[in-house]
Amino acid sequence: MSAEDYQNNTVINWAAILCVDRTDVLWGIQVTMAAISLVETLLVTYLSYKGNILQQIITFDFIVEAFTTVPFIVTLTDKRFRHLFIPVFLNCWLAKSALENMFNDLHRALQKVQSALSHQLMILCATLFCVFFTSVCGIEHLQRGGRVHLDLFQSFYYVIVTFSTVGYGDYVPDIWPSQLFMIVMICVTLVVLPAQLEQLVFTFMERQKQGGTYSRHRALNEKHVVVCTTYLHADVVMDFLNEFYAHPMLQDYFVVLLSPCELDPTMRMILQVPLWAQRVIYVQGSALKDADLTRVRLAEAEACFILAARNYADRTAADQHTILRSWAVKDFAPDCPQYVQVFRPENKVHVKFAEHVVCEDEFKYALLANNCVCPGLSTLVTLLLHTSRGQEGQSSSEEWQRLYGKCSGNEIYHICMKDSNFFGEYEGKSFTYASFHAHRKYGVALVAVQPEGKRILLNPGPHHIMRKGDICFYMSITKEENSAFILAHPNPDKEMRGASIRLHRTGSSRITTTLGSTGTVALELQHTRSRSSSLAAGGGEHAAGTGVKNRLQLPRDGAAHRLSVQSMSRRPSIAPVPAVLDVLDAIRMQFEENRAEADADEQTADDGGKDDDNCSVCSDSTWHDDYVVDYPRQTPYLAASPRLVYRLRECDRRPHCCLQITVQCEHNQATSAKDYSWRNRAIILAADYASNGIYNFIVPLRAHFQPRSSLKPIVLLLEAQ
């Protein structure tokens, strides 16, 4: 019979579909297993009975169990039923449910939290397997009654081609039972799979919002740090990442952001930038939960940075939240170094166990105070703290903007003196000598030094002698290891490196070192040699007499044509910078400095005594006379650094009425700051209220090393009483 005739006169072999060749041994095994499975199902149904028997019976698992086990029990009634076909392959759906329950019970017993995404993915894979397995077994059996018989591989090939909507047509079901079965399976697939995919996609999207998990394998093989913050502000995160990865030794570190808030579109776009996508991992969670700290592998982290909660209007409440997170981290990982940021200085004592504690109020007020003493210091410190390539403002038409942008790239680096080309030749010389000549030669500014086994000394002056093991801290656009420099005119005078200088009694009594602009363009040094005759300096002062070596001098008139642009842009220093400062010279210099300061204070006191109209508490005549150098009687918070300051000798605690300068009291009738007729201009600090951090603003302005004549009144402009 041809294929066309067979299509017109389809003959179905029902005997091949309804009956199978089953041996007695196989039949006995299947009946036994069916009986055990049916009894177990009935027992579980009875134990889980809750008053509604119909609800317990009409379930997918119970129906499939009954459809695959009851027919085997029926075959016990008649021997002829032993060859009846029973769709045992439907038990794969029962195996899927049992596998899901087994994993849930396993994780519940082990107290292990299973990922929702992996759970949904497992369910989807099991569902796909059951659909394909049921379709393959069903089409293979039903085609036994048709003209074209398919084996298991051909059936699997046909199912894959059909479900993938390719449809080559080389294998087709030729009887209506097979065709109906495939229609039913396609409908089941269209109902079951979209629901599974929807749950998987929803779980995946929620997982993306919560961030990932830092894997244990990566934590054991890679170095990472954890950054805990309550709010992910784009500017704060970018500042941290730029400064963290600016260090060459931290390029291989991973940064794990732990925050309870979701990523906003700006932060999501930032983390997708290729520069950060491979090194920054976001995890949504709280530092107060051990489960979230486990997700970020805090125990294996190199460090933990806890940033202040800037989304709080109350800074005290923000510090309380920061302290709780720091305690939780300390309890979870005691060996992990912490770097904590707080707002109020009085809260530092609660996190004293941290490796470093940065107090914003202390730094802010201290920087403002020192900026009043040295204008521009806040800009200098800000530029030093922020990493810059020095390319800002280079396209500007203004020369000062280009110079400012270029010099903004300066940062502080350190190097051991024995390994340095900048400072290695100044071994045995004074700090002032090394700083001056290194700046003249290479354009780098030596600002501090750390002797072996000691603390860092900031500008120790000519008393410190440079040693081979000292660590030199200098300002430059790039570190010395990455610098390339060539001296255009090296100083040939070798005698200047070993001689010492004695200060002339009639000469200047102070040794001053002025650090100019800190650009790294190498200066073209002139051939400066010591001459026996002294050169006149500005202000009528003369250098030391004949026979004195190592004196810095102005270039000769004949060398004017050799001055470069860099050398002309700086005012050359004419003060003597000795290589080694003798003890007698140091004593003489200190004595003359103290005498000059005493003379200045005496003159100021004489001038101040001319006006004595106000009371002894508020009058300006006591502005300098009643001040003594001593430690503050009280500090506003624990761990405040004690410093010598100027304070009143007689009245340490002024009456409360005199503290409000705009309100008249029995001691003074002034109603404004102008009525006090202060000799120096007042310094006004605007703040929300009188916080303890203002202590760090007052102390630098009243430091003992400030001349008494330069002390200025401090006015606090507060919003709250």
Side-chain angles (χ1 to χ4, degrees), residues 242-274:
N242 288 328
E243 300 302 327
F244 182 82
Y245 285 113
H247 199 286
M249 302 297 294
L250 303 178
Q251 297 301 315
D252 296 332
Y253 279 66
F254 285 87
V255 174
V256 182
L257 301 177
L258 179 62
S259 175
C261 66
E262 297 183 1
L263 291 177
D264 56 6
T266 304
M267 278 301 307
R268 194 179 302 276
M269 182 176 61
I270 290 175
L271 295 184
Q272 291 177 354
V273 176

XYZ file of all heavy atoms in Angstrom, residues 242-274:
272
model
N 37.630 56.380 42.803
C 38.755 57.059 42.152
C 39.969 57.133 43.069
O 41.105 56.897 42.626
C 38.330 58.462 41.717
C 37.391 58.446 40.529
O 37.485 57.569 39.666
N 36.466 59.379 40.478
N 39.749 57.451 44.338
C 40.877 57.542 45.260
C 41.414 56.164 45.632
O 42.619 56.002 45.828
C 40.457 58.300 46.527
C 39.982 59.723 46.282
C 41.044 60.565 45.594
O 42.245 60.342 45.840
O 40.675 61.441 44.791
N 40.545 55.179 45.732
C 40.998 53.839 46.116
C 41.859 53.224 45.017
O 42.944 52.693 45.284
C 39.785 52.956 46.398
C 40.137 51.564 46.851
C 40.466 51.317 48.169
C 40.151 50.508 45.958
C 40.791 50.040 48.596
C 40.475 49.232 46.368
C 40.799 48.996 47.696
N 41.398 53.315 43.790
C 42.141 52.707 42.686
C 43.237 53.613 42.137
O 43.919 53.229 41.186
C 41.183 52.319 41.553
C 40.382 51.080 41.867
C 39.013 51.144 42.060
C 41.003 49.846 41.979
C 38.274 50.010 42.347
C 40.270 48.703 42.279
C 38.913 48.796 42.456
O 38.189 47.664 42.749
N 43.410 54.786 42.722
C 44.536 55.629 42.313
C 45.861 55.059 42.792
O 46.906 55.337 42.208
C 44.346 57.054 42.843
N 45.819 54.253 43.849
C 47.049 53.637 44.356
C 47.423 52.451 43.471
O 46.589 51.577 43.204
C 46.850 53.186 45.800
C 48.140 52.968 46.530
N 48.956 51.879 46.290
C 48.765 53.694 47.485
C 50.016 51.931 47.065
N 49.929 53.036 47.807
N 48.643 52.364 43.004
C 49.013 51.271 42.086
C 48.966 49.896 42.732
O 48.800 48.893 42.035
C 50.442 51.643 41.655
C 50.949 52.552 42.723
C 49.761 53.301 43.221
N 49.093 49.813 44.059
C 49.082 48.519 44.721
C 47.677 47.969 44.918
O 47.514 46.819 45.339
C 49.777 48.632 46.090
C 51.208 49.115 46.017
S 52.266 47.970 45.091
C 52.216 46.556 46.175
N 46.642 48.753 44.616
C 45.259 48.329 44.834
C 44.516 48.044 43.546
O 43.283 47.909 43.566
C 44.507 49.410 45.622
C 45.102 49.796 46.984
C 44.282 50.908 47.611
C 45.177 48.597 47.903
N 45.223 47.923 42.442
C 44.555 47.732 41.158
C 43.876 46.370 41.057
O 42.887 46.215 40.329
C 45.565 47.902 40.013
C 46.180 49.276 39.924
C 45.142 50.360 39.723
O 44.228 50.222 38.910
N 45.272 51.441 40.467
N 44.395 45.360 41.755
C 43.849 44.009 41.657
C 42.810 43.717 42.733
O 42.337 42.581 42.828
C 44.981 42.977 41.754
C 45.952 43.091 40.593
O 45.524 43.541 39.509
O 47.139 42.733 40.759
N 42.455 44.690 43.528
C 41.472 44.483 44.583
C 40.053 44.612 44.018
O 39.800 45.382 43.087
C 41.653 45.498 45.707
C 42.752 45.147 46.685
C 44.084 45.124 46.294
C 42.456 44.850 48.000
C 45.091 44.808 47.185
C 43.462 44.533 48.912
C 44.775 44.516 48.498
O 45.770 44.203 49.386
N 39.114 43.853 44.606
C 37.697 44.000 44.308
C 37.061 44.843 45.409
O 37.426 44.733 46.582
C 37.008 42.636 44.234
C 37.313 41.861 42.990
C 38.430 41.041 42.920
C 36.495 41.951 41.881
C 38.724 40.326 41.779
C 36.774 41.243 40.732
C 37.888 40.428 40.669
N 36.095 45.671 45.032
C 35.347 46.499 45.976
C 33.914 45.986 46.006
O 33.237 45.932 44.972
C 35.374 47.985 45.572
C 34.467 48.800 46.487
C 36.791 48.518 45.635
N 33.448 45.585 47.187
C 32.093 45.076 47.378
C 31.297 46.140 48.116
O 31.626 46.501 49.255
C 32.100 43.750 48.161
C 30.679 43.221 48.301
C 32.978 42.721 47.462
N 30.270 46.677 47.471
C 29.409 47.700 48.060
C 28.242 47.024 48.764
O 27.454 46.318 48.122
C 28.898 48.661 46.988
C 29.954 49.423 46.177
C 29.283 50.263 45.107
C 30.805 50.303 47.080
N 28.129 47.218 50.061
C 27.040 46.648 50.858
C 26.149 47.791 51.324
O 26.571 48.643 52.114
C 27.596 45.870 52.050
C 26.566 45.236 52.988
C 25.721 44.210 52.251
C 27.247 44.607 54.191
N 24.915 47.806 50.835
C 23.998 48.898 51.159
C 22.570 48.361 51.175
O 22.217 47.512 50.353
C 24.119 50.033 50.133
O 23.161 51.047 50.381
N 21.728 48.838 52.098
C 20.335 48.365 52.128
C 19.447 48.990 51.063
O 18.331 48.511 50.850
C 19.868 48.766 53.536
C 20.725 49.930 53.892
C 22.051 49.703 53.240
N 19.899 50.032 50.404
C 19.063 50.703 49.403
C 19.300 50.102 48.025
O 20.332 49.485 47.759
C 19.354 52.203 49.385
S 21.013 52.626 48.813
N 18.320 50.295 47.155
C 18.429 49.802 45.787
C 19.255 50.767 44.946
O 19.407 51.949 45.276
C 17.035 49.623 45.180
C 16.178 48.580 45.877
C 14.838 48.401 45.193
O 14.607 49.094 44.167
O 14.026 47.596 45.669
N 19.764 50.247 43.858
C 20.545 51.075 42.953
C 19.627 51.997 42.162
O 18.635 51.542 41.574
C 21.350 50.201 41.986
C 22.509 49.392 42.577
C 23.137 48.533 41.493
C 23.550 50.305 43.181
N 19.951 53.285 42.146
C 19.218 54.205 41.296
C 19.774 54.119 39.874
O 20.813 53.491 39.641
C 19.302 55.628 41.844
C 20.741 56.099 42.023
O 21.660 55.369 41.613
O 20.943 57.193 42.575
N 19.085 54.700 38.895
C 19.583 54.593 37.505
C 20.994 55.126 37.319
O 21.766 54.573 36.529
C 18.552 55.427 36.715
C 17.308 55.360 37.536
C 17.767 55.341 38.959
N 21.355 56.182 38.051
C 22.711 56.726 37.907
C 23.765 55.742 38.381
O 24.763 55.488 37.702
C 22.840 58.046 38.681
O 21.833 58.963 38.226
C 24.212 58.663 38.475
N 23.547 55.165 39.570
C 24.502 54.194 40.093
C 24.535 52.929 39.239
O 25.598 52.335 39.029
C 24.137 53.833 41.532
C 24.621 54.822 42.564
S 26.422 55.014 42.549
C 26.953 53.325 42.709
N 23.393 52.528 38.724
C 23.369 51.335 37.872
C 24.177 51.558 36.593
O 24.886 50.666 36.119
C 21.919 50.974 37.538
C 21.755 49.576 36.952
C 20.276 49.313 36.688
N 19.504 49.450 37.903
C 19.352 48.479 38.803
N 19.922 47.312 38.596
N 18.627 48.676 39.883
N 24.091 52.759 36.058
C 24.857 53.068 34.854
C 26.349 53.146 35.163
O 27.185 52.714 34.364
C 24.363 54.386 34.255
C 25.064 54.793 32.964
S 24.354 56.282 32.255
C 24.646 57.451 33.589
N 26.699 53.678 36.340
C 28.111 53.773 36.719
C 28.726 52.388 36.868
O 29.841 52.128 36.402
C 28.247 54.587 38.015
C 27.920 56.060 37.752
C 29.659 54.462 38.591
C 27.920 56.913 39.003
N 27.997 51.476 37.500
C 28.531 50.137 37.725
C 28.588 49.304 36.452
O 29.193 48.230 36.451
C 27.685 49.414 38.777
C 27.723 50.028 40.183
C 26.920 49.174 41.148
C 29.148 50.194 40.678
N 27.953 49.776 35.386
C 28.043 49.081 34.102
C 29.182 49.590 33.233
O 29.442 49.016 32.173
C 26.716 49.221 33.342
C 25.569 48.460 33.987
C 24.256 48.670 33.257
O 24.170 49.475 32.319
N 23.229 47.960 33.673
N 29.858 50.641 33.680
C 31.027 51.130 32.954
C 32.121 50.068 33.012
O 32.367 49.475 34.073
C 31.521 52.459 33.560
C 32.799 52.928 32.888
C 30.436 53.522 33.441
N 32.772 49.753 31.891
C 33.787 48.682 31.911
C 34.888 48.898 32.941
O 35.466 47.928 33.434
C 34.342 48.713 30.478
C 33.240 49.275 29.653
C 32.535 50.262 30.525
